[in-house]
Each structure stands twice: as C-alpha cells, then as structure tokens.
Amino acid sequence: MTAGGDHRAVSVLYCTGNDGKFKEASHVVEAYNARCAARGSRFRATLTQVDPDPVEIQGDAADVARAKVTAALAALPPEALEGEDYVVTEDVGLSLRCLNGFPGPYCKPMLEAIGDRGLWDLASRYDDRAATVTCTLAAIRVRGGEEARDASPRLHVGVIEGAILGPPRGDVKHGKASWNSVFTPEGREKTFGELAFAEQAEFSHRKEALVKFLDAAAEEFPQEEDANR
C-alpha cells in the first residue's frame, strides 16, 4: 500500500490478456474511487494489467477461479509483486437454462468453436432462452511476502440474469470469443454488444464481483491504518 497525497492506494495486479475486460474493470474502479472520495474515505484502488496466461483447469466455477489465480501468482516474477497488494484473476461463465447450465465456465471454448451466431442458432431451438452470466473474481493478498499471503484465494461472485433473444447485435466484445452480441441483460433492450464498456460497468456481473472485492479490501484498510498510528 503506497502513500499518495491525502489518500492511500491499494495496488491490484489484474491478470488478464483481455483488454476489453480490463477497460470495463477500470471504469468500475474509477467509479468506486469517486464514490469513496465523495464519502470522505481515503481508500482508493489502482489496477495494473498483467498477463501471466495461467492454464485453466476443468471443474466448477469456484475450482477454476481458485486454480487460475494461484497459477497466475506462481507465473509472476517476484519483482512484479513488489509494492503490490493483491493479485486478481476473473473467470466468466455463461449458463443456459435450456441446457441445464451448460456451458458455464466452459463458454470460451464453446464460442471459439461455434461463435456468437452459433450460440444463437443453438438457443433459438428452445422456447426457454434464459441465461445467467457469472463473474468469479479470485484474489490473493501478496503484500508482506509469502508469509502474509492468504491461505486460500478469496472469491467474489457477481451474477446477472438475461436471455439469448436474437441474432448477434453490436460489436463491443471482450476478446475475440464473445457472447456479448447475443446476450440481453434482464430489463434492458440492448445486448452487451451494443453497450460501451463504460455503460456495462454501471451494472454488469464484473462490476458486482469487483465491488465486493473492493468492499472487502476497504474493510481491511482502516484496521491497518489504525495499527500503523
């Protein structure tokens, strides 16, 4: 944690090679910092994008998330961790009710195989096109060296409901394999593909998971401030 004027910044290594995900996450953090400042809180967070490219295991969303952040931490050189407070990864799942929750955490390989139009072609065969999107953010605290690290990754989950309602619309994507253009969030008319990252950051599954993580980090912050006085 480093001093910065009247504030103290919690430094977070956000492990992703997906620039779209990082852009959206940055909007979420900027808005969170602004809310903290408006309340008179000295807490703020800074994100740095790194891409250790960890191998993803098979398993449920929690298993995948824990293994992913652990592998990311192991892949980062010691110098990359200097001055940092947390290493964070995220894993996004898309569950179709008509397929009993499939593909879930395996949505990326499915999309790489059939694309967003293929996903629509599949869902269009069913009357029930409801879908749930989940972001499982895993965080390991690294400040203070190995002896101070979390015994196990902390998980923060964000969930939004929606549906696969029609053919692809919009070209805003999180990476090349993306369901954005065919997923319409509940209560909205536009697909994620038609919403800019800043708009998505106002309500998305990623926002919900990130805010839970930031709230947890902020709860630790005043305790440490008191201990250092």
Side-chain angles (χ1 to χ4, degrees), residues 6 14 25 30 46 63 134 136 170 208 215:
D6 294 330
Y14 209 79
E30 288 170 7
T46 63
D63 291 337
T134 304
T136 304
E208 186 177 329
D215 283 346

Side-chain angles (χ1 to χ4, degrees), residues 31 52-53 60 62 111 116 130 163 197 203 216:
D53 195 23
D60 63 21
L111 286 163
D116 51 359
F197 292 129
F203 70 93

Side-chain angles (χ1 to χ4, degrees), residues 155-212:
L155 302 185
H156 307 275
V157 181
V159 180
I160 60 170
E161 303 293 338
I164 309 298
L165 296 180
R169 289 185 288 128
D171 56 7
V172 178
K173 296 183 177 182
H174 294 86
K176 294 180 180 179
S178 176
W179 43 258
N180 283 10
S181 64
V182 293
F183 178 80
T184 304
E186 192 172 81
R188 297 179 182 265
E189 297 181 356
K190 293 182 178 181
T191 68
F192 262 99
E194 297 173 294
L195 297 171
F197 292 129
E199 294 177 283
Q200 295 181 33
E202 295 175 0
F203 70 93
S204 72
H205 51 300
R206 182 165 290 105
K207 177 197 175 176
E208 186 177 329
L210 261 169
V211 167
K212 288 179 179 178

Side-chain angles (χ1 to χ4, degrees), residues 58-187:
Q58 293 188 359
D60 63 21
D63 291 337
V64 171
R66 291 190 184 97
K68 187 174 183 177
V69 74
T70 301
L73 176 59
L76 290 167
E79 57 269 22
L81 303 177
E82 293 181 5
E84 301 297 333
D85 294 298
Y86 295 93
V87 170
V88 166
T89 60
E90 59 162 88
D91 195 69
V92 172
L94 172 71
S95 299
L96 303 180
R97 195 158 64 193
C98 61
L99 299 180
N100 297 319
F102 185 80
Y106 306 116
C107 60
K108 182 178 178 180
M110 174 189 251
L111 286 163
E112 287 175 339
I114 66 175
D116 51 359
R117 182 164 291 277
L119 181 59
W120 158 244
D121 288 341
L122 177 61
S124 67
R125 303 175 190 182
Y126 297 87
D127 294 330
D128 184 355
R129 299 172 190 165
T132 300
V133 175
T134 304
C135 178
T136 304
L137 186 148
I140 293 180
R141 184 171 176 173
V142 295
R143 184 165 63 90
E146 293 187 14
E147 68 281 358
R149 289 177 186 169
D150 296 325
S152 61
R154 304 181 193 182
L155 302 185
H156 307 275
V157 181
V159 180
I160 60 170
E161 303 293 338
I164 309 298
L165 296 180
R169 289 185 288 128
D171 56 7
V172 178
K173 296 183 177 182
H174 294 86
K176 294 180 180 179
S178 176
W179 43 258
N180 283 10
S181 64
V182 293
F183 178 80
T184 304
E186 192 172 81

